[in-house]
Amino acid sequence: MRRLALATLLAALAVTPAAAEIKRVGPETSPIASAVVVPAGYDIIYVSGITPPVTNPGAPEGTPREFGDTKTQTIGVIERIKGILESQGATLGDVVMMRVLLVGDPALDGKMDFAGMMEGYRQYFANADQPNRPARITSQVSALVAPGMMVEIEVQAAVKPK
């Protein structure tokens, strides 16, 4: 009797229901979600903080000109993240959480260029081509790993296993 009960239990555990869909909470007009609910059964991909590529090799090393303005750096970082996610079978549409770190822009008296970051961000999120919106935080920090870098982004993505 015990063997039958154990076999029945093991068989029930082996059959898992199809994963529910990810739920994004908050106003549809907002480019970020107030919350994202990832149900059981999804694979989570954690992408470390990614910094921008050099966009102007001839510019003085360690200056914002070497990496571009905040918008340019944001685009460069998101493109790098896109490549990392694609290498794992995911897309930017699978991003459920994003942390954006911005260094103050010298051209803005040391204040972060939130508008410039949003211009780059909106090219990839909450638009007609890719409507998904991650939960997100944006913070100003005093410095990043290299002088001239003004943007670092970390993301988590959730993918339904195939």
Side-chain angles (χ1 to χ4, degrees), residues 18-22 41-43 94 158-162:
E21 296 298 317
I22 292 174
Y42 278 75
D43 292 334
D94 297 314
V159 181
K160 190 182 293 189
K162 295 178 172 115

Side-chain angles (χ1 to χ4, degrees), residues 11-159:
L13 291 174
V15 178
T16 56
E21 296 298 317
I22 292 174
K23 181 179 177 185
R24 295 168 196 274
V25 180
E28 290 293 321
T29 56
S30 176
I32 62 171
S34 300
V36 177
V37 180
V38 179
Y42 278 75
D43 292 334
I44 305 297
I45 302 167
Y46 297 90
V47 179
S48 294
I50 303 298
T51 54
V54 171
T55 56
N56 300 308
E61 192 172 316
T63 67
R65 284 188 25 221
E66 181 181 21
F67 300 99
D69 61 11
T70 299
K71 177 182 175 182
T72 301
Q73 290 191 31
T74 300
I75 291 168
V77 169
I78 294 174
E79 282 293 329
R80 284 181 156 180
I81 291 170
K82 181 179 174 185
I84 292 166
L85 291 173
E86 287 174 352
S87 77
Q88 299 304 307
T91 70
L92 290 174
D94 297 314
V95 173
V96 294
M97 182 64 196
M98 176 183 283
R99 288 174 191 82
V100 179
L101 304 176
L102 299 176
V103 171
D105 187 335
L108 297 175
D109 295 325
K111 295 178 184 164
M112 70 176 173
D113 183 6
F114 184 78
M117 184 278 297
M118 284 302 295
E119 284 183 52
Y121 172 87
R122 291 299 291 247
Q123 291 182 30
Y124 298 92
F125 296 94
N127 61 45
D129 294 329
Q130 200 292 96
N132 288 340
R133 306 164 299 133
R136 192 187 81 203
I137 183 171
T138 304
S139 301
Q140 181 169 338
V141 296
S142 61
L144 293 174
V145 68
M149 291 182 175
M150 296 188 292
V151 179
E152 182 172 353
I153 300 174
E154 150 191 3
V155 302
Q156 288 83 47
V159 181

